[in-house]
Amino acid sequence: MANKEATVAELTENFRSSNAVVLTEYRGLTVAQLKQLRKSISEHATYAVVKNTLTKIAANEAGITSFDDDLVGPSAIAFVHGDTVAVAKALRDFAKANPLLVVKGGYFDGAPLTAAEVGKLADLESREVLLAKLAGAFKASLFGAAYMFNAPLAQAVRTVDALRAKQETAA
């Protein structure tokens, strides 16, 4: 009993401290395949095989009730502590190579996600790519602003130069 309470407390803490949570079914996967999956997401998440009843209690204690209907069969949870998109991509890629892994749903930013929404999350570009695009957009707008501020000055210089040339030809 004390062991179960400790497990529930640990799971509850994992739910509360995670950026996102992805619920999967791993029925039919080998230990070696699970090890490979854990390794592929280890940079951004921990992957734990869980007991459904204890997970349901822990999720409810953490304020997550969206998993109640999905906690059937052999379940495992990816507790995301890093880049959520990278974990979603890794799970999607692993599921393509190993169709026995089924994403049941998730929880991200205070909202439940369906399996399809987790798939859409995996389709997003990584944080680094999005930041690079944002930096490029800022750089382009700064160059545009610099050109806009420089244009009147350049036109004034050309006008003065034209006036000087006109005066030299008139004299």
Side-chain angles (χ1 to χ4, degrees):
M1 188 68 168
N3 189 22
K4 289 181 180 181
E5 289 175 2
T7 302
V8 168
E10 181 182 349
L11 285 171
T12 303
E13 180 55 33
N14 283 339
F15 276 114
R16 288 184 178 148
S17 66
S18 298
N19 299 340
V21 179
V22 181
L23 179 65
T24 64
E25 182 177 319
Y26 66 93
R27 185 187 321 249
L29 291 176
T30 65
V31 173
Q33 289 171 322
L34 286 174
K35 185 176 179 182
Q36 178 187 1
L37 175 59
R38 281 189 177 100
K39 185 177 179 183
S40 71
I41 65 172
S42 64
E43 183 179 346
H44 301 288
T46 55
Y47 190 72
V49 174
V50 294
K51 291 188 178 241
N52 291 333
T53 54
L54 300 180
T55 303
K56 184 176 181 179
I57 293 168
N60 288 334
E61 285 182 12
I64 300 171
T65 57
S66 59
F67 291 152
D68 290 354
D69 295 334
D70 294 328
L71 287 168
V72 291
S75 300
I77 297 180
F79 293 103
V80 182
H81 303 296
D83 188 359
T84 306
V85 173
V87 173
K89 283 179 192 258
L91 288 171
R92 179 193 60 196
D93 294 345
F94 187 86
K96 282 182 182 177
N98 302 284
L100 295 175
L101 179 75
V102 177
V103 175
K104 294 181 181 181
Y107 193 81
F108 177 63
D109 203 24
L113 299 174
T114 64
E117 290 170 332
V118 173
K120 287 180 183 178
L121 191 62
D123 292 336
L124 291 175
E125 293 174 331
S126 70
R127 182 176 188 273
E128 291 77 19
V129 171
L130 291 175
L131 287 174
K133 285 185 175 183
L134 182 64
F138 280 141
K139 184 178 177 184
S141 65
L142 287 175
F143 277 124
Y147 177 77
M148 183 181 73
F149 289 129
N150 198 24
L153 180 61
Q155 186 173 358
V157 169
R158 286 191 297 272
T159 304
V160 169
D161 191 42
L163 285 173
R164 184 188 50 78
K166 185 177 182 182
Q167 284 180 349
E168 285 177 0
T169 57

